[in-house]
Structures are given as C-alpha cells and as structure tokens.
Amino acid sequence: MFSKGQIAGKISTIFVFSMLFSVALEANPLQKVVGVMNSSTFRASVNIKSGGSSFNGTLSYSGGKMNFRLGDGRVIASNGRKIFAFDPSTRTMGRQDAGGGGGLGWILSYTARIDGNRAVLTPNSPAHNYEEVRLSWDEGYFLRSISMKGKGGDVITIKINSVSRVASFPVSIFSYKAPPGSRTVDNPLNQRN
C-alpha cells in the first residue's frame, strides 16, 4: 500500500506532467494554426504569386477541402482524396490522387523557427517537398499567408484576404465536374513523357 504522502506525490507528479504537456501544446502556434484551419469553413479572396505571375481568385474552404476559382476561369479543387484542375482555354481537367488527405497538417513535419505570428519552416528529411516554407497568421491563428520554396528554387506565395465565415458548402463543390465536352486526364503528375 502507498502512504498518503506517496499518493500525493504521484498525483502531484501526474498533475505537473499534465500541465507541462498542456503548456507544450499551447506553446506551439503551428498546431493551433492547423487546428483552426482544419475546423474552418470560409470563403475568401486569394492572391497567388508564382515567378513573375500573379493570379487572383475566390477560395471556398472547409476543413482541408477546397475550391479555388481564378479570375480567368481556371478551377483547382480538392475533396481530400482527389485534386481537380480545370483549364477552360484547353477544356482539359487533370484529376490527380491526393497524397496527404488535404489540410495543413503537413507543416508540422518541418522544423519551425517561430517569431510572433510568423514562422520559417525547413525540412527534416530529403523527402519533404519544399526547401523552405514561410507563413503568417492573425491573432486567432487563422492563416493569412504561406510561401513555399520548391527544391528547384521556384516560390509560390498565397495570401488570404476578405474572409467570410460560412456555415457549409455543398459537397459537390470540392469534387469539381468539368463541363460537358471537356477532356479529363487521370494522374497527370505521375505520367512520364
């Protein structure tokens, strides 16, 4: 049998460990950003810069699923299992298997240097897709911008503005259907020329 002092000591140890674990989780704002984004449903204006080009569009997002419509009619959508990319100029839709299941959880696998509401992420292994990721969030841990530098040096920057929270979206918005007469290419990123 344990004495009252031993029981009190074990309870204090468990309590202190629980507090430290809770503080460690609270101290990682990236986990909060991922949690907020995974539980958010919203519509927003988005600006994407890549190379010398800039694109604007409207993003409909719900817990890792998205539908992004650019001003020129292109659409990129994902239901978490598949990614759909439609180009109206060629009337072609690429339908690709999604590797990570959607959402921002992948950022937690990088090493992070955090300064206030900004972070610079670097890869832990050569298997990571990006050489560097920079992101910023607001006081509610809602993502405002993310910049991803690929291994070839190309940088894509996404800025989220004019956010409107919505209750829900129709499920079909995330499984984009190309207009009749369009050509569909399955898994174009896996094809070799």
Side-chain angles (χ1 to χ4, degrees):
M1 262 344 240
F2 295 112
S3 70
K4 287 183 183 178
Q6 288 173 318
I7 291 173
K10 290 186 182 303
I11 290 173
S12 323
T13 302
I14 290 169
F15 179 73
V16 168
F17 178 74
S18 297
M19 290 287 291
L20 289 173
F21 183 71
S22 174
V23 166
L25 285 179
E26 289 294 316
N28 186 349
L30 292 182
Q31 289 178 328
K32 288 184 176 182
V33 170
V34 169
V36 166
M37 296 307 289
N38 284 346
S39 63
S40 292
T41 300
F42 64 91
R43 181 171 285 122
S45 296
V46 175
N47 174 264
I48 299 176
K49 290 184 180 175
S50 178
S53 301
S54 181
F55 309 96
N56 293 306
T58 302
L59 174 67
S60 300
Y61 183 93
S62 182
K65 300 178 183 100
M66 60 158 239
N67 180 300
F68 181 59
R69 293 180 178 269
L70 286 98
D72 64 5
R74 288 181 287 170
V75 177
I76 301 167
S78 175
N79 61 13
R81 295 178 312 279
K82 296 270 188 194
I83 299 168
F84 309 90
F86 177 69
D87 183 346
S89 68
T90 61
R91 298 191 57 79
T92 302
M93 182 176 77
R95 186 171 46 202
Q96 182 74 35
D97 293 329
L104 272 180
W106 60 270
I107 67 172
L108 299 175
S109 67
Y110 282 73
T111 298
R113 191 174 70 246
I114 300 168
D115 182 17
N117 68 336
R118 298 179 184 279
V120 177
L121 312 178
T122 52
N124 290 330
S125 83
H128 283 100
N129 291 328
Y130 302 108
E131 188 175 290
E132 182 181 85
V133 177
R134 293 177 179 264
L135 51 117
S136 67
W137 54 90
D138 64 19
E139 63 281 349
Y141 297 95
F142 189 89
L143 183 70
R144 288 303 179 171
S145 71
I146 184 167
S147 182
M148 300 161 288
K149 181 179 182 183
K151 293 179 181 176
D154 296 334
V155 177
I156 297 172
T157 301
I158 302 169
K159 292 188 177 182
I160 302 171
N161 302 300
S162 305
V163 176
S164 301
R165 307 279 181 170
V166 296
S168 65
F169 290 108
V171 176
S172 61
I173 195 172
F174 305 117
S175 296
Y176 183 76
K177 301 273 190 262
S182 300
R183 182 174 75 104
T184 298
V185 179
D186 282 310
N187 293 312
L189 299 178
N190 300 54
Q191 295 179 7
R192 303 227 184 255
N193 290 331

